[in-house]
Amino acid sequence: MTERETTRLVAWSQELRQVHHRLREALSVTRASLADGTPGEAATRDLLLYCHGFCAALDGHHQGEDRTLFPAIAAAHPELRGVLRSLEQDHSMIAHLLGGLRAAVDRAAPPEDLDHHLEGIAAIMENHFRYEERQLLTVLETLELAAEPGQVLGPI
């Protein structure tokens, strides 16, 4: 295997870590915006942008994994199908929670309601990311997948 091929393979492991880091940061910025509590139309507009942007990024990340990454892992490592099923169930649960957050933002729910939604998402998301990293990072270091990282891990 050439150095370039090795670099490309290891990139999947690094890409996943980087995407998780950026999603954690996006959630942190969203929660900080909510905690700021600055009244007025501009603050509300900023919060809407943060929440919708965070929701879209997390949802896109999970769709890319379900559509491209997980089938490639299952083909190369059938013994991980149970792990992948569990991760896909997490994706479904997180999508449901994101739908609740979107609805709360759209109806201009009070900050404490929005924070409740974000807290639930943060808890599930963090557990999911840690489990995914424990189970898949080593596999990703050797996964041969010819695809663009943005298509596989989402647009963030």
Side-chain angles (χ1 to χ4, degrees), residues 1-11 141 144:
M1 181 177 306
T2 69
E3 183 179 337
R4 183 173 183 212
E5 290 171 325
T6 301
T7 300
R8 184 183 61 78
L9 292 175
V10 173
E141 290 176 356
E144 294 191 40

Side-chain angles (χ1 to χ4, degrees), residues 21-124:
H21 176 73
R22 289 190 299 267
L23 286 167
R24 286 176 176 117
E25 284 182 346
L27 178 61
S28 177
V29 167
T30 302
R31 293 190 85 182
S33 172
L34 181 61
D36 180 34
T38 307
E41 188 176 314
T44 301
R45 189 172 42 251
D46 287 348
L47 180 58
L48 285 170
L49 288 173
Y50 288 137
C51 285
H52 283 297
F54 168 72
C55 290
L58 187 57
D59 194 44
H61 170 64
H62 289 158
Q63 286 181 27
E65 286 181 334
D66 290 347
R67 186 178 48 247
T68 307
L69 183 63
F70 290 176
I73 292 171
H77 298 275
E79 72 279 7
L80 292 175
R81 286 195 173 125
V83 168
L84 299 172
R85 246 187 324 276
S86 177
L87 290 169
E88 287 171 344
Q89 289 171 344
D90 285 354
H91 290 175
S92 179
M93 182 185 326
I94 291 170
H96 175 75
L97 294 172
L98 289 173
L101 173 61
R102 283 185 188 108
V105 168
D106 290 344
R107 73 173 182 276
E112 55 274 1
D113 287 358
L114 295 175
D115 190 54
H116 179 73
H117 284 282
L118 289 169
E119 188 174 326
I121 292 167
I124 301 294

